[in-house]
């Protein structure tokens, strides 16, 4: 465990969403409520998520046909 990382941060995950790559198919929206469609554009509600929301966001990441979603610790 790095000394500069708080334990509370260890159960958080960061979502990187590449809007330029996104084709707006809304596949992510269909599997995860952290993703919404607004004015024909896909939007991410939260970029930092707790571990309990990881599974559905991982589904969104894997269903994206253009790999516009990346999740990391």
């Amino acid at each position: 465990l790095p000394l500069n990382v708080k334990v509370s941060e260890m159960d958080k995950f960061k979502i990187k969403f590449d809007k330029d790559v996104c084709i707006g198919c809304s596949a992510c929206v269909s599997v995860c409520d952290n993703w919404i469609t607004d004015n024909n554009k896909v939007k991410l509600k939260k970029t930092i998520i707790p571990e309990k929301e990881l599974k559905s966001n991982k589904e969104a990441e894997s269903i994206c046909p253009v790999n516009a979603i990346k999740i990391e610790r």
Side-chain angles (χ1 to χ4, degrees):
L1 190 73
L3 294 174
N4 60 344
V5 174
K6 294 189 204 107
V7 174
S8 62
E9 289 175 7
M10 287 303 290
D11 67 344
K12 302 271 193 266
F13 295 84
K14 184 175 179 68
I15 301 174
K16 292 188 174 183
F17 173 46
D18 191 336
K19 295 181 198 85
D20 297 329
V21 171
C22 177
I23 57 172
C25 72
S26 296
C28 54
V29 176
S30 73
V31 296
C32 181
D33 64 5
N34 191 34
W35 298 87
I36 57 169
T37 306
D38 180 34
N39 215 9
N40 292 327
K41 290 194 182 345
V42 171
K43 293 190 176 169
L44 175 61
K45 291 185 195 173
K46 296 186 284 184
T47 56
I48 305 292
I49 57 163
E51 191 160 3
K52 68 181 183 186
E53 294 173 21
L54 181 62
K55 186 173 186 251
S56 63
N57 280 280
K58 277 287 198 187
E59 273 185 63
E61 179 186 40
S62 66
I63 203 171
C64 179
V66 292
N67 299 314
I69 304 168
K70 301 275 186 276
I71 300 174
E72 53 193 41
R73 235 190 215 293

